[in-house]
Coordinates of all heavy atoms in Angstrom, one line a residue:
D6 N 63.3 106.6 97.9 CA 64.2 105.4 97.7 C 63.7 104.6 96.6 O 62.8 103.8 96.8 CB 64.4 104.6 99.0 CG 65.2 105.4 100.0 OD1 66.2 106.1 99.6 OD2 64.8 105.4 101.2
S7 N 64.3 104.7 95.4 CA 63.9 103.9 94.3 C 64.6 102.6 94.2 O 65.8 102.6 94.4 CB 64.0 104.7 93.0 OG 63.8 103.9 91.8
Q8 N 63.9 101.6 93.8 CA 64.6 100.3 93.7 C 65.6 100.4 92.5 O 66.4 99.5 92.3 CB 63.6 99.1 93.5 CG 62.8 98.9 94.8 CD 61.9 97.6 94.6 OE1 62.0 97.0 93.6 NE2 61.1 97.4 95.5
N9 N 65.4 101.4 91.6 CA 66.4 101.5 90.5 C 67.6 102.2 90.9 O 68.6 102.1 90.2 CB 65.7 102.3 89.4 CG 64.6 101.4 88.8 OD1 64.5 100.3 88.7 ND2 63.5 102.3 88.4
D10 N 67.7 102.8 92.1 CA 68.9 103.5 92.4 C 70.0 102.5 92.9 O 69.6 101.4 93.4 CB 68.6 104.5 93.7 CG 68.0 105.7 93.2 OD1 68.0 106.0 92.1 OD2 67.4 106.4 94.1
H11 N 71.2 102.8 92.8 CA 72.4 102.0 93.1 C 73.1 102.7 94.3 O 73.7 103.8 94.0 CB 73.2 101.7 91.9 CG 74.3 100.7 92.1 ND1 74.0 99.3 92.3 CD2 75.6 100.8 92.2 CE1 75.1 98.7 92.5 NE2 76.0 99.6 92.4
L12 N 73.0 102.2 95.4 CA 73.6 102.9 96.5 C 75.0 102.2 96.9 O 75.1 101.0 96.9 CB 72.8 102.7 97.8 CG 71.5 103.5 97.8 CD1 70.6 103.1 99.0 CD2 71.6 104.9 97.6
L13 N 76.0 103.0 97.1 CA 77.3 102.5 97.5 C 77.8 103.1 98.8 O 77.6 104.3 99.0 CB 78.4 102.8 96.5 CG 78.3 102.2 95.1 CD1 79.4 102.6 94.2 CD2 78.4 100.7 95.3
C14 N 78.3 102.3 99.7 CA 79.0 102.8 100.9 C 80.5 102.8 100.6 O 81.0 101.8 100.2 CB 78.6 101.9 102.1 SG 79.4 102.5 103.6
C15 N 81.1 103.8 100.9 CA 82.5 104.1 100.7 C 83.2 104.4 102.0 O 82.9 105.4 102.6 CB 82.8 105.1 99.6 SG 84.5 105.2 99.2
L16 N 84.2 103.5 102.4 CA 85.1 103.8 103.7 C 86.4 104.2 103.2 O 87.0 103.5 102.4 CB 85.0 102.6 104.5 CG 83.7 101.9 104.8 CD1 84.0 100.6 105.6 CD2 82.8 102.7 105.6
L17 N 87.0 105.3 103.8 CA 88.2 105.7 103.4 C 89.1 106.0 104.5 O 88.8 106.5 105.6 CB 88.1 107.1 102.7 CG 87.2 107.1 101.4 CD1 86.4 108.3 101.3 CD2 88.2 107.0 100.2
W18 N 90.4 105.6 104.4 CA 91.5 105.8 105.3 C 92.6 106.7 104.7 O 92.9 106.5 103.5 CB 92.1 104.4 105.8 CG 91.2 103.6 106.6 CD1 91.3 103.5 108.0 CD2 90.2 102.8 106.1 NE1 90.3 102.5 108.3 CE2 89.6 102.1 107.3 CE3 89.7 102.4 104.9 CZ2 88.6 101.2 107.3 CZ3 88.6 101.5 104.8 CH2 88.1 100.9 105.9
A19 N 93.0 107.6 105.5 CA 94.1 108.6 105.0 C 95.5 108.0 105.4 O 95.7 107.3 106.3 CB 93.9 109.9 105.7
R20 N 96.4 108.4 104.5 CA 97.8 108.1 104.8 C 98.2 109.0 106.0 O 97.6 110.0 106.2 CB 98.7 108.4 103.6 CG 98.5 107.5 102.5 CD 99.6 107.6 101.3 NE 99.3 106.8 100.2 CZ 99.4 105.5 100.2 NH1 100.0 104.9 101.2 NH2 99.2 104.9 99.0
E21 N 99.1 108.6 106.7 CA 99.6 109.3 107.9 C 100.0 110.7 107.6 O 100.7 111.0 106.6 CB 100.7 108.6 108.6 CG 101.1 109.2 109.9 CD 102.1 108.4 110.7 OE1 102.2 107.1 110.4 OE2 102.7 109.0 111.6
G22 N 99.3 111.7 108.3 CA 99.6 113.1 108.1 C 98.9 113.7 106.9 O 99.2 114.8 106.6
R23 N 98.0 113.0 106.2 CA 97.4 113.4 105.0 C 95.9 113.5 105.1 O 95.2 113.5 104.1 CB 97.8 112.4 103.8 CG 99.2 112.3 103.5 CD 99.7 113.7 102.9 NE 101.0 113.7 102.4 CZ 101.5 114.3 101.5 NH1 100.8 115.3 101.0 NH2 102.8 114.2 101.1
L24 N 95.3 113.7 106.3 CA 93.9 113.7 106.5 C 93.3 114.8 105.6 O 92.3 114.6 104.9 CB 93.6 113.9 107.9 CG 92.1 114.0 108.3 CD1 91.3 112.8 107.9 CD2 91.9 114.3 109.8

Side-chain angles (χ1 to χ4, degrees):
D6 289 320
S7 167
Q8 290 188 8
N9 295 327
D10 283 347
H11 188 71
L12 298 174
L13 291 179
C14 183
C15 183
L16 310 176
L17 297 141
W18 288 262
R20 294 194 185 279
E21 188 169 337
R23 298 291 189 157
L24 177 62

